[in-house]
PDB file of all heavy atoms in Angstrom:
ATOM      1  N   PHE A 379     119.822  87.235 106.639  1.00  0.00           N
ATOM      2  CA  PHE A 379     119.637  86.561 105.342  1.00  0.00           C
ATOM      3  C   PHE A 379     118.344  85.728 105.261  1.00  0.00           C
ATOM      4  O   PHE A 379     117.815  85.275 106.229  1.00  0.00           O
ATOM      5  CB  PHE A 379     120.806  85.525 105.143  1.00  0.00           C
ATOM      6  CG  PHE A 379     120.736  84.696 103.865  1.00  0.00           C
ATOM      7  CD1 PHE A 379     120.931  85.317 102.705  1.00  0.00           C
ATOM      8  CD2 PHE A 379     120.295  83.412 103.923  1.00  0.00           C
ATOM      9  CE1 PHE A 379     120.801  84.596 101.499  1.00  0.00           C
ATOM     10  CE2 PHE A 379     120.143  82.720 102.832  1.00  0.00           C
ATOM     11  CZ  PHE A 379     120.433  83.274 101.576  1.00  0.00           C
ATOM     12  N   ASN A 380     117.862  85.683 104.025  1.00  0.00           N
ATOM     13  CA  ASN A 380     116.603  84.958 103.736  1.00  0.00           C
ATOM     14  C   ASN A 380     115.374  85.636 104.327  1.00  0.00           C
ATOM     15  O   ASN A 380     114.354  84.966 104.590  1.00  0.00           O
ATOM     16  CB  ASN A 380     116.678  83.506 104.242  1.00  0.00           C
ATOM     17  CG  ASN A 380     115.590  82.658 103.634  1.00  0.00           C
ATOM     18  OD1 ASN A 380     115.232  82.866 102.463  1.00  0.00           O
ATOM     19  ND2 ASN A 380     115.070  81.708 104.384  1.00  0.00           N
ATOM     20  N   ARG A 381     115.492  86.960 104.490  1.00  0.00           N
ATOM     21  CA  ARG A 381     114.245  87.641 104.858  1.00  0.00           C
ATOM     22  C   ARG A 381     113.489  87.910 103.583  1.00  0.00           C
ATOM     23  O   ARG A 381     113.932  88.621 102.705  1.00  0.00           O
ATOM     24  CB  ARG A 381     114.643  89.015 105.473  1.00  0.00           C
ATOM     25  CG  ARG A 381     115.279  88.915 106.872  1.00  0.00           C
ATOM     26  CD  ARG A 381     115.738  90.231 107.313  1.00  0.00           C
ATOM     27  NE  ARG A 381     114.649  91.244 107.366  1.00  0.00           N
ATOM     28  CZ  ARG A 381     114.761  92.424 107.831  1.00  0.00           C
ATOM     29  NH1 ARG A 381     115.939  92.842 108.382  1.00  0.00           N
ATOM     30  NH2 ARG A 381     113.768  93.253 107.801  1.00  0.00           N
ATOM     31  N   GLY A 382     112.383  87.231 103.468  1.00  0.00           N
ATOM     32  CA  GLY A 382     111.613  87.217 102.205  1.00  0.00           C
ATOM     33  C   GLY A 382     111.160  88.569 101.748  1.00  0.00           C
ATOM     34  O   GLY A 382     110.936  88.801 100.603  1.00  0.00           O
ATOM     35  N   ASP A 383     111.002  89.487 102.749  1.00  0.00           N
ATOM     36  CA  ASP A 383     110.532  90.830 102.426  1.00  0.00           C
ATOM     37  C   ASP A 383     111.642  91.796 102.087  1.00  0.00           C
ATOM     38  O   ASP A 383     111.492  92.929 101.783  1.00  0.00           O
ATOM     39  CB  ASP A 383     109.644  91.379 103.475  1.00  0.00           C
ATOM     40  CG  ASP A 383     110.468  91.547 104.798  1.00  0.00           C
ATOM     41  OD1 ASP A 383     111.456  90.918 104.935  1.00  0.00           O
ATOM     42  OD2 ASP A 383     110.025  92.345 105.620  1.00  0.00           O
ATOM     43  N   ALA A 384     112.883  91.325 102.141  1.00  0.00           N
ATOM     44  CA  ALA A 384     114.045  92.221 102.037  1.00  0.00           C
ATOM     45  C   ALA A 384     114.560  92.207 100.599  1.00  0.00           C
ATOM     46  O   ALA A 384     115.691  92.027 100.294  1.00  0.00           O
ATOM     47  CB  ALA A 384     115.165  91.778 102.997  1.00  0.00           C
ATOM     48  N   GLN A 385     113.650  92.532  99.667  1.00  0.00           N
ATOM     49  CA  GLN A 385     113.991  92.771  98.292  1.00  0.00           C
ATOM     50  C   GLN A 385     113.418  94.152  97.890  1.00  0.00           C
ATOM     51  O   GLN A 385     112.227  94.342  97.989  1.00  0.00           O
ATOM     52  CB  GLN A 385     113.533  91.660  97.328  1.00  0.00           C
ATOM     53  CG  GLN A 385     114.232  90.343  97.530  1.00  0.00           C
ATOM     54  CD  GLN A 385     113.836  89.376  96.365  1.00  0.00           C
ATOM     55  OE1 GLN A 385     112.874  89.515  95.699  1.00  0.00           O
ATOM     56  NE2 GLN A 385     114.652  88.235  96.292  1.00  0.00           N
ATOM     57  N   PHE A 386     114.304  95.052  97.550  1.00  0.00           N
ATOM     58  CA  PHE A 386     113.886  96.378  97.213  1.00  0.00           C
ATOM     59  C   PHE A 386     114.395  96.785  95.800  1.00  0.00           C
ATOM     60  O   PHE A 386     115.584  96.485  95.481  1.00  0.00           O
ATOM     61  CB  PHE A 386     114.443  97.405  98.207  1.00  0.00           C
ATOM     62  CG  PHE A 386     113.973  97.181  99.630  1.00  0.00           C
ATOM     63  CD1 PHE A 386     114.659  96.336 100.500  1.00  0.00           C
ATOM     64  CD2 PHE A 386     112.753  97.745 100.114  1.00  0.00           C
ATOM     65  CE1 PHE A 386     114.256  96.150 101.801  1.00  0.00           C
ATOM     66  CE2 PHE A 386     112.324  97.527 101.391  1.00  0.00           C
ATOM     67  CZ  PHE A 386     113.045  96.718 102.193  1.00  0.00           C
ATOM     68  N   PHE A 387     113.500  97.350  94.952  1.00  0.00           N
ATOM     69  CA  PHE A 387     113.890  97.707  93.640  1.00  0.00           C
ATOM     70  C   PHE A 387     113.421  99.141  93.385  1.00  0.00           C
ATOM     71  O   PHE A 387     112.398  99.614  93.867  1.00  0.00           O
ATOM     72  CB  PHE A 387     113.251  96.788  92.578  1.00  0.00           C
ATOM     73  CG  PHE A 387     113.474  95.316  92.827  1.00  0.00           C
ATOM     74  CD1 PHE A 387     112.529  94.579  93.413  1.00  0.00           C
ATOM     75  CD2 PHE A 387     114.726  94.750  92.463  1.00  0.00           C
ATOM     76  CE1 PHE A 387     112.743  93.191  93.652  1.00  0.00           C
ATOM     77  CE2 PHE A 387     114.945  93.450  92.675  1.00  0.00           C
ATOM     78  CZ  PHE A 387     113.964  92.629  93.303  1.00  0.00           C
ATOM     79  N   CYS A 388     114.205  99.863  92.552  1.00  0.00           N
ATOM     80  CA  CYS A 388     113.772 101.164  92.040  1.00  0.00           C
ATOM     81  C   CYS A 388     114.268 101.375  90.691  1.00  0.00           C
ATOM     82  O   CYS A 388     115.258 100.792  90.258  1.00  0.00           O
ATOM     83  CB  CYS A 388     114.229 102.268  92.990  1.00  0.00           C
ATOM     84  SG  CYS A 388     115.906 102.822  92.696  1.00  0.00           S
ATOM     85  N   ILE A 389     113.536 102.223  89.917  1.00  0.00           N
ATOM     86  CA  ILE A 389     113.940 102.647  88.579  1.00  0.00           C
ATOM     87  C   ILE A 389     113.990 104.160  88.617  1.00  0.00           C
ATOM     88  O   ILE A 389     112.997 104.838  88.828  1.00  0.00           O
ATOM     89  CB  ILE A 389     112.957 102.159  87.534  1.00  0.00           C
ATOM     90  CG1 ILE A 389     112.951 100.628  87.445  1.00  0.00           C
ATOM     91  CG2 ILE A 389     113.271 102.748  86.150  1.00  0.00           C
ATOM     92  CD1 ILE A 389     112.007 100.080  86.385  1.00  0.00           C
ATOM     93  N   ASP A 390     115.198 104.643  88.350  1.00  0.00           N
ATOM     94  CA  ASP A 390     115.438 106.138  88.352  1.00  0.00           C
ATOM     95  C   ASP A 390     114.974 106.785  89.572  1.00  0.00           C
ATOM     96  O   ASP A 390     114.309 107.868  89.543  1.00  0.00           O
ATOM     97  CB  ASP A 390     114.813 106.744  87.093  1.00  0.00           C
ATOM     98  CG  ASP A 390     115.466 106.305  85.809  1.00  0.00           C
ATOM     99  OD1 ASP A 390     116.629 105.925  85.851  1.00  0.00           O
ATOM    100  OD2 ASP A 390     114.805 106.305  84.733  1.00  0.00           O
TER     101      ASP A 390
END
Side-chain angles (χ1 to χ4, degrees):
F379 176 73
N380 197 32
R381 291 176 53 175
D383 61 341
Q385 288 189 347
F386 300 90
F387 307 100
C388 83
I389 295 182
D390 293 335

